[in-house]
Amino acid sequence: MSTGEQVAVALALNRADWLKLAGYTMAEAIERTGLEWLALMPGIERQLRDEGLI
């Protein structure tokens, strides 16, 4: 995965430890991800939970 993808996944899965490993703070990760992707994340998280993936 690209760094941007790693950051987005870490945010969607609420994995601050993964953000730290990638060298990002929560605020930096939010900025890097952008508003369009951030708006999609709650739905992605719900879908993953519904499918039993998280």
Side-chain angles (χ1 to χ4, degrees):
M1 282 190 281
S2 71
T3 302
E5 290 168 333
Q6 291 175 30
V7 169
V9 168
L11 281 174
L13 299 179
N14 197 29
R15 294 295 306 257
D17 57 325
W18 290 359
L19 290 175
K20 185 176 181 178
L21 286 173
Y24 284 85
T25 66
M26 188 68 69
E28 291 168 334
I30 290 168
E31 180 181 50
R32 180 178 176 109
T33 301
L35 296 177
E36 289 181 40
W37 280 101
L38 285 175
L40 297 172
M41 285 190 185
I44 293 168
E45 182 181 12
R46 272 191 302 277
Q47 183 176 352
L48 292 171
R49 286 192 191 284
D50 290 348
E51 294 175 9
L53 299 173
I54 58 170

